[in-house]
Amino acid sequence: MPVRGCGLVVLLLATFVGKEAGSPLPFSAPVLRGFEGCAVRARRRLLRGLAVAPTEEMKTSNFRDVVVALPLVAPMLPTMHGTEDDKRTISHELLVAGESRLGGSKCLVYGIGIASNSAFEEAKAAHAGCEVHAFDCTITAEAKSVKNKHFVFHDWCIGESETSKAANISVSEKHKAQGGRKTATYDNMKSLRDTMLLLNHTAVDILKFDIEGFEWALFKKEFLKLPLELRPLQVSFELHTRGAREKWVPAQLVKPYKHSQVNRLFLALMNFGYRVISREVNAHDPFCAEFVIVRMDNLPQRRRLSLKEEVAAELQLPALPPPIDYPLVGLAC
């Protein structure tokens, strides 16, 4: 088990051994190799999960194979559980100690999907000192969640307009009372890349989105096509899958997405250099879960097989070994 104060040990190790060239976070090569032992286990579990028969797929959680692949602990990762408000992002001190794209003075945060809750965006702007931009085309600048706040609000949505219009969503009465539009037509849409160009931003440190099922289109149409220089350092998001409560999530948006699609998404994110640092299944809806992922750029490249070939190769290996324990640096995975 991790020892008390282990996060500080890892941070000191990274500081004294030296930052590995090309890494967005201030970790040395030995520490990164230790982290990758955890990532190997995480990837193997995702691959093995894809071999599950479709008849067995609906019997367990859609998120059962997604595990933490980068086990950061306090003070690098806050000790509170991930919620709608904190999203459990890594500490601001660690963020700016890494490869800051803003001269080390501020982090740049994009918050997509505000509705009635802007606690995350306000906390990052007012308390962490980040430059924060919030985006939501379903509310106006008069909404309580964005009026007189420390962040900059933009009344457009980020994503693909055709996907959004097809959902034919209406805003709830509660949403209207808080400044929301009468109907969410999603006419005012911009891509993530176009938004960054418009705001003259070359990179984003933290990307957060909670967009009630629209995240699948955002991942497929935009995020997984971003070049390396535009990929955010860390991403905090809620993932909604088939079975999510229709009161909040349009069924037509998530109907195709079950356990196997979740596994494929996180395998794609791992291929992009991202590692899961936090996973919290929604206590009120087990078909939704909060995730935080962090980008690790300088990982060794390996030959890419097709997903079918990778699954076949994984099934030829022995069963997953017991969890790895790194007591000297406080890691267990």
Side-chain angles (χ1 to χ4, degrees):
M1 295 296 292
V3 297
R4 185 179 300 274
C6 49
L8 183 59
V9 174
V10 176
L11 196 56
L12 288 173
L13 256 176
T15 301
F16 286 108
V17 177
K19 176 180 179 291
E20 177 73 357
S23 174
L25 297 179
F27 295 136
S28 64
V31 173
L32 286 173
R33 284 195 293 272
F35 282 142
E36 273 306 282
C38 300
V40 168
R41 285 181 50 84
R43 185 179 186 85
R44 290 191 62 189
R45 180 160 177 172
L46 290 168
L47 288 169
R48 286 187 172 251
L50 289 178
V52 173
T55 53
E56 298 294 320
E57 195 174 20
M58 295 299 292
K59 295 182 180 180
T60 53
S61 168
N62 288 336
F63 310 108
R64 67 178 181 269
D65 293 325
V66 184
V67 296
V68 171
L70 183 61
L72 301 179
V73 288
M76 291 184 289
L77 187 67
T79 54
M80 78 282 284
H81 292 292
T83 67
E84 292 284 341
D85 297 347
D86 64 65
K87 300 291 182 186
R88 214 179 184 203
T89 52
I90 59 176
S91 70
H92 176 64
E93 291 74 20
L94 182 62
L95 183 65
V96 298
E99 189 181 86
S100 174
R101 275 69 59 92
L102 293 172
S105 59
K106 277 190 175 183
C107 56
L108 178 61
V109 179
Y110 276 17
I112 305 174
I114 305 301
S116 60
N117 187 351
S118 62
F120 172 83
E121 289 76 14
E122 183 66 5
K124 290 298 179 186
H127 305 301
C130 297
E131 177 184 344
V132 180
H133 295 261
F135 307 88
D136 199 322
C137 62
T138 69
I139 59 176
T140 70
E142 295 302 310
K144 293 180 181 179
S145 56
V146 298
K147 188 176 182 180
N148 298 324
K149 300 293 184 179
H150 292 85
F151 55 80
V152 181
F153 172 68
H154 306 277
D155 64 351
W156 67 79
C157 287
I158 293 180
E160 185 190 49
S161 58
E162 291 305 313
T163 301
S164 302
K165 290 177 182 178
N168 191 24
I169 310 301
S170 294
V171 182
S172 69
E173 291 300 321
K174 178 181 178 181
H175 195 80
K176 295 177 194 175
Q178 293 172 327
R181 304 182 190 277
K182 293 182 179 180
T183 57
T185 60
Y186 297 95
D187 287 329
N188 194 8
M189 304 286 297
K190 289 181 175 62
S191 71
L192 180 59
R193 186 190 294 254
D194 288 345
T195 295
M196 293 175 68
L197 289 173
L198 181 64
L199 299 178
N200 196 29
H201 294 148
T202 57
V204 176
D205 289 302
I206 301 175
L207 175 65
K208 165 261 178 184
F209 49 91
D210 185 354
I211 46 181
E212 313 302 347
F214 289 107
E215 66 274 2
W216 287 100
L218 181 63
F219 273 124
K220 292 197 296 183
K221 301 292 184 179
E222 285 213 73
F223 191 88
L224 293 176
K225 296 180 179 179
L226 288 174
L228 175 62
E229 64 272 14
L230 294 184
R231 297 174 196 171
L233 173 59
Q234 61 178 308
V235 187
S236 303
F237 60 95
E238 184 168 21
L239 192 63
H240 307 81
T241 60
R242 183 174 182 173
R245 296 176 63 184
E246 293 187 32
K247 179 180 179 181
W248 306 110
V249 183
Q252 64 269 44
L253 290 181
V254 297
K255 185 177 180 180
Y257 302 108
K258 300 177 289 184
H259 162 259
S260 59
Q261 286 75 28
V262 170
N263 283 27
R264 286 185 172 89
L265 171 63
F266 280 92
L267 283 167
L269 291 170
M270 291 193 82
N271 288 343
F272 252 48
Y274 284 100
R275 300 293 181 259
V276 175
I277 64 170
S278 179
R279 167 192 179 273
E280 298 281 347
V281 177
N282 191 310
H284 305 290
D285 189 342
F287 297 97
C288 308
E290 299 269 359
F291 294 96
V292 183
I293 58 177
V294 170
R295 201 186 82 221
M296 310 290 284
D297 289 344
N298 63 329
L299 301 174
Q301 296 297 309
R302 56 186 179 81
R303 186 172 69 89
R304 295 291 182 216
L305 303 174
S306 70
L307 197 52
K308 184 177 180 180
E309 290 173 325
E310 281 201 90
V311 172
E314 170 59 33
L315 294 179
Q316 298 300 314
L317 297 174
L320 287 170
I324 305 168
D325 189 20
Y326 299 99
L328 292 180
V329 293
L331 302 182
C333 60

